[in-house]
Amino acid sequence: MQTRREVTREATIREIKQTALARMRAEGTIDVRLSDVARDMRMSAPGLYRYFDGREGLLAALITDSLTDLAEQVEQARDAVPAGDAGGRFLAVARAYRTWALADPQGFTLVFGPPPSGVARGHQGEAHGPGKAAAVRAMEGLRSLIREAEEAGTR
């Protein structure tokens, strides 16, 4: 069972991420400043550093969340089509990618677009850990179809 402090911390982290995404959507960009997020939450900007390792840490968390959401949608679409229907499964996955991208343009841009100003591409995700695992999972939906097609002798 989580302590009260852990529950409060997780809720604050969710609120910070939701606030950052709301600001991104309102401004039509992924270029978010911690000071703006803090102001929207009625917090001090240094207070956000208790939850994220700066702006890059917040962006890495948002990228991980976006990749996880993409993976879940791709897996659901793939698994809704029978395993023997390689073409149908591929089409379902392609549609899931497109649907996700259209529904979450900020998530799409965070994952596949140019890095936000001041953030090097290599620093958007982690070499290991949740960001890497989410990226691998998001791509596994497509890779699994390629493996299935090769095993079935269809390409």
Side-chain angles (χ1 to χ4, degrees), residues 12-143:
T12 302
I13 289 170
R14 274 192 309 277
E15 184 180 357
I16 292 167
K17 292 192 288 188
Q18 289 168 352
T19 302
L21 284 172
R23 181 162 277 284
M24 288 177 181
R25 288 181 186 116
E27 295 177 1
T29 181
I30 60 167
D31 208 10
V32 67
R33 293 188 317 228
L34 287 182
S35 58
D36 292 337
V37 173
R39 184 175 45 256
D40 291 349
M41 293 182 64
R42 298 181 315 260
M43 289 179 70
S44 69
L48 292 179
Y49 285 86
R50 283 181 265 162
Y51 302 95
F52 293 99
D53 185 22
R55 181 169 169 259
E56 286 187 12
L58 173 58
L59 291 171
L62 293 173
I63 290 167
T64 298
D65 290 352
S66 293
L67 284 165
T68 299
D69 183 48
L70 173 60
E72 289 170 358
Q73 291 189 35
V74 165
E75 290 165 357
Q76 289 172 1
R78 179 197 63 206
D79 296 343
V81 178
D85 183 2
R89 286 168 67 92
F90 184 82
L91 186 58
V93 165
R95 285 183 176 147
Y97 267 93
R98 183 177 189 276
T99 299
W100 171 80
L102 293 172
D104 186 4
Q106 280 69 38
F108 177 84
T109 304
L110 281 167
V111 172
F112 295 110
S117 65
V119 178
R121 174 56 76 187
H123 294 271
Q124 279 187 311
E126 305 156 26
H128 305 285
K132 175 69 172 183
V136 168
R137 183 177 170 205
M139 296 299 114
E140 181 57 28
L142 185 57
R143 284 196 311 253

